C-alpha cells in the first residue's frame, strides 16, 4: 500500500493557492477541470516530493458551506526552521494559532480553516522570543 494524497475542499482557489503555494511553499503538480461534475482538482506537493505525498484541493463550482472541518484533523509538514517559517507566514498575513513556544511545533489554518501542523526537522530549536511567550490565538 502506498499513501497517495489527502483531499481538502476549498471555496476559493486563488486564496487557497496563495496560502499553500505562495506562503507555505508547496508546488502545483497537476490540475484537472471536470465540467460534467462541476469541480476542479488541484494536486500540490512539497518541492521534490511530487508523487510521494500530495494534497488534493477540491473546488466544487457550486457554492457549498463546509463548516470548519475540525473532524478532519490536520495536515503536517516538516520544516527546516520553525521560527523562520512562522515569521514568513506571519509576514504574509497568516495567523500563528499555536506559536512554536517549544521550538518544535506550531499550528496555522488555511483559508478554509484546515489545521496545518508545522514540525521542526530534527531536534527542537532553543526557545526564542517573540514565540516563547506568545499566546495561542483561536483554535488550532
Amino acid at each position: 500500500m502506498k499513501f497517495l494524497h489527502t483531499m481538502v475542499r476549498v471555496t476559493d482557489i486563488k486564496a487557497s493557492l496563495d496560502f499553500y503555494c505562495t506562503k507555505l511553499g508547496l508546488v502545483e503538480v497537476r490540475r484537472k477541470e471536470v465540467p460534467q461534475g462541476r469541480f476542479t482538482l488541484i494536486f500540490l506537493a512539497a518541492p521534490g516530493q511530487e508523487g510521494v505525498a500530495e494534497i488534493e484541493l477540491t473546488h466544487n463550482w457550486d457554492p457549498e458551506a463546509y463548516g470548519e472541518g475540525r473532524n478532519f484533523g490536520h495536515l503536517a509538514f516538516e520544516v527546516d526552521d520553525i521560527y523562520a517559517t512562522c515569521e514568513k507566514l506571519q509576514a504574509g498575513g497568516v495567523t500563528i494559532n499555536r506559536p512554536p513556544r517549544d521550538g518544535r511545533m506550531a499550528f496555522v489554518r488555511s483559508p478554509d480553516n484546515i489545521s496545518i501542523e508545522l514540525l521542526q526537522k530534527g531536534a527542537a530549536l532553543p526557545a526564542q522570543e517573540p514565540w516563547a511567550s506568545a499566546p495561542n490565538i483561536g483554535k488550532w
Side-chain angles (χ1 to χ4, degrees):
M1 190 179 306
K2 176 184 171 185
F3 176 78
L4 297 176
H5 65 264
T6 297
M7 184 273 272
V8 294
R9 290 179 180 88
V10 301
T11 56
D12 182 328
I13 290 176
K14 184 178 177 182
S16 294
L17 290 177
D18 179 60
F19 175 79
Y20 289 105
C21 297
T22 305
K23 295 174 181 160
L24 207 52
L26 301 182
V27 294
E28 185 172 330
V29 177
R30 65 190 176 284
R31 183 182 295 224
K32 183 176 182 181
E33 303 279 341
V34 185
Q36 66 275 26
R38 300 190 48 75
F39 64 89
T40 301
L41 304 178
I42 303 170
F43 291 85
L44 308 175
Q49 303 262 329
E50 297 85 349
V52 177
E54 297 177 349
I55 295 174
E56 173 192 314
L57 303 181
T58 297
H59 177 256
N60 293 310
W61 299 356
D62 300 316
E64 185 178 335
Y66 298 122
E68 289 192 25
R70 187 75 173 146
N71 61 338
F72 168 78
H74 64 266
L75 302 173
F77 294 94
E78 182 180 72
V79 299
D80 289 329
D81 184 327
I82 192 83
Y83 297 133
T85 300
C86 287
E87 287 171 12
K88 177 184 173 196
L89 289 169
Q90 193 172 53
V94 175
T95 299
I96 309 300
N97 299 96
R98 194 280 191 191
R101 290 183 294 276
D102 56 4
R104 171 97 180 112
M105 177 182 67
F107 274 88
V108 298
R109 284 191 162 214
S110 77
D112 291 289
N113 285 318
I114 301 297
S115 291
I116 311 289
E117 180 181 22
L118 305 170
L119 294 167
Q120 173 61 41
K121 183 177 181 178
L125 299 179
Q128 176 179 312
E129 292 297 344
W131 307 109
S133 60
N136 290 342
I137 299 172
K139 294 186 275 184
W140 45 279

